[in-house]
Amino acid sequence: PPCGFRDRKEARIEFATTREGQPRRLSSITLETPTSQYVAALTSDATTVELRVTGGRAHPPSIAPLAAIDTASLIERAILAGTTDEIFETALRTVGEILK
């Protein structure tokens, strides 16, 4: 897996991968700062995501629908864009390393 991420000041951002549930299915992401925690997690029906922020920047939880995007659509979009999306490329490489 990747060795880590860095913030704008080049400080290392630690992360952990927990494997559980169906293979190749991301169920939640948690970002923590010294004062807040940001969580995006699949709901029980796996068609929506619950977004929660606690701590210094807390606000009420909200639910967002998941868009049904297939692999072919993502590849088509990448080909037709004509430019490199650095964030998408980094995320794709990271996910590829995690799934190895």
Side-chain angles (χ1 to χ4, degrees):
C3 60
F5 298 100
R6 301 224 175 252
D7 67 13
R8 291 179 187 155
K9 296 178 181 176
E10 295 298 317
R12 184 179 168 91
I13 299 171
E14 299 295 328
F15 71 94
T17 302
T18 304
R19 296 185 188 276
E20 57 186 39
Q22 298 176 2
R24 298 184 180 214
R25 183 66 190 241
L26 186 66
S27 60
S28 68
I29 296 173
T30 302
L31 299 174
E32 295 182 10
T33 69
T35 60
S36 299
Q37 184 179 53
Y38 304 83
V39 178
L42 283 177
T43 58
S44 59
D45 67 2
T47 62
T48 55
V49 174
E50 180 181 14
L51 307 168
R52 296 185 310 272
V53 180
T54 57
R57 296 186 172 261
H59 61 79
S62 61
I63 301 290
L66 284 175
I69 301 175
D70 59 286
T71 304
S73 296
L74 291 173
I75 293 170
E76 179 182 9
R77 179 178 171 204
I79 291 169
L80 296 175
T83 60
T84 301
D85 182 334
E86 292 180 30
I87 295 171
F88 177 77
E89 183 177 347
T90 301
L92 187 60
R93 287 176 197 245
T94 301
V95 169
E97 289 296 316
I98 290 170
L99 296 176
K100 281 186 179 177

